Amino acid sequence: MEFPLVTTPWLEANINNQQLVLIDVSMSKVVGKKAIEYDRPLFIPNSQHIDLETSLCDLTSTQVHAFPVAEQFTRQAQRLGIDAESIVVFYDNQGMYSAPRAWWIFQAMGCKNSFVLDGGLPQWLSEKRAVVSGLSVDEPVPGQMNGKLQSDFICDSNYIMDKRAGGQLTLIDARSKERFLGLAPEPRAGVRSGHIPGALNLPFPEVLNGHCFKSPEQLSEIFLNLAGSNNTRLVFSCGSGITACITLLAAVVAGYSYSQLILYDGSWSDWGSNSVLPVER
């Protein structure tokens, strides 16, 4: 299993590698942390951009931030020039926010040679590495990547209701403690406060050290203390499936295998808006 992160020194050394496809996946709206604001656009050289909320979302779904369908993913991957041999690296301008979501989508669609830049643009800037004010203007040669969704990478509320009854999963919620406990209102209208019964709370900033992930040893200890050493599958949730991917990626860094992890796509925006589903506070 490939380690899922690349470092800023590695990226700088490989910035002109013809196999590298470097993608900025920054989002305009940041929830759950104080947003880093910029007075002008800044990018790592040779970057392309993809919009997680449109190009990599199934906009025909009623679900917030629904996973893209395979055909949609394939169009976008080929547009970016991605082939089977490509080294795909994602980053965002918040350090560690939306890049893990893009990485999990690509992993789920079969693009295994995809990675996240640890620390993202803020870490790159803090080390005074070169930046540019615009995206790459070179139109890439269309790629040949074909996506196929591996269904065990994501789940829905029915899966959770079925598996939690038998103690077959451990649900980890990446929202803040206040939202988890129902002490703070949800940002989306019509969504109840609280959490899925039995869920454990791991706010996503707790797996980070500054802009980067904590060490594999530190993360392993966090997950061991939180979930214990049982062999149940870890299901990751948040507000709408974005920041859950940060804690999911942290689990991979800690040494969990992909087969042990699954994303509840839709997360609390899906569960909390369905009055039939139980809520705990």
Side-chain angles (χ1 to χ4, degrees):
M1 181 177 68
E2 291 279 0
F3 193 69
L5 302 176
V6 299
T7 65
T8 48
W10 180 92
L11 181 58
E12 185 174 58
N14 287 273
I15 201 72
N16 293 315
N17 185 333
Q18 293 300 304
Q19 290 183 309
L20 177 69
V21 180
L22 180 62
I23 307 174
D24 174 286
V25 287
S26 303
M27 295 176 65
S28 59
K29 185 176 182 180
V30 175
V31 177
K33 60 167 282 185
K34 181 176 174 58
I36 301 172
E37 298 182 353
Y38 297 83
D39 57 9
R40 62 189 177 92
L42 293 173
F43 304 94
I44 299 173
N46 299 337
S47 296
Q48 300 184 71
H49 176 76
I50 191 165
D51 191 326
L52 274 179
E53 296 185 280
T54 56
S55 299
L56 287 182
C57 270
D58 179 5
L59 300 180
T60 67
S61 172
T62 57
Q63 178 184 299
V64 178
H65 296 147
F67 242 58
V69 297
E71 294 79 10
Q72 179 185 12
F73 169 85
T74 295
R75 285 196 305 272
Q76 295 301 324
Q78 292 184 358
R79 178 184 66 82
L80 293 164
I82 296 173
D83 293 313
E85 299 78 22
S86 297
I87 304 168
V88 183
V89 176
F90 298 102
Y91 75 94
D92 63 67
N93 63 12
Q94 297 301 307
M96 198 55 62
Y97 187 71
S98 48
R101 168 75 177 193
W103 164 81
W104 192 242
I105 289 172
F106 270 63
Q107 290 289 322
M109 291 291 182
C111 185
K112 301 305 182 184
N113 210 24
S114 55
F115 308 89
V116 172
L117 175 63
D118 198 14
L121 180 62
Q123 186 67 25
W124 185 272
L125 288 170
S126 72
E127 296 163 354
K128 303 189 185 307
R129 302 183 192 273
V131 292
V132 293
S133 58
L135 296 165
S136 175
V137 296
D138 296 329
E139 191 74 24
V141 176
Q144 301 299 316
M145 174 60 65
N146 284 291
K148 182 178 180 180
L149 178 62
Q150 299 164 85
S151 59
D152 57 346
F153 274 59
I154 59 173
C155 71
D156 58 15
S157 59
N158 291 329
Y159 175 93
I160 292 174
M161 286 295 290
D162 178 53
K163 299 297 183 183
R164 65 185 284 273
Q168 297 171 269
L169 59 80
T170 299
L171 187 68
I172 298 176
D173 190 322
R175 293 177 300 155
S176 69
K177 181 179 179 180
E178 291 74 23
R179 288 177 66 188
F180 181 80
L181 295 176
L183 301 175
E186 287 298 306
R188 295 179 177 87
V191 178
R192 297 169 294 171
S193 297
H195 60 267
I196 299 171
L200 305 174
N201 189 210
L202 179 59
F204 73 85
E206 295 186 12
V207 302
L208 303 176
N209 181 16
H211 303 306
C212 300
F213 279 104
K214 291 179 177 178
S215 70
E217 295 76 20
Q218 290 173 312
L219 293 173
S220 179
E221 183 176 0
I222 287 172
F223 283 102
L224 182 62
N225 291 338
L226 181 72
S229 57
N230 62 59
N231 293 319
T232 61
R233 200 167 192 197
L234 301 185
V235 179
F236 294 84
S237 175
C238 60
S240 64
I242 301 295
T243 59
C245 295
I246 301 173
T247 51
L248 189 157
L249 176 52
V252 177
V253 175
Y256 287 82
S257 68
Y258 291 86
S259 63
Q260 293 174 276
L261 314 174
I262 191 168
L263 171 69
Y264 174 18
D265 196 40
S267 290
W268 188 250
S269 64
D270 176 61
W271 190 282
S273 61
N274 187 341
S275 61
V276 174
L277 298 175
V279 170
E280 189 171 82
R281 295 189 181 184

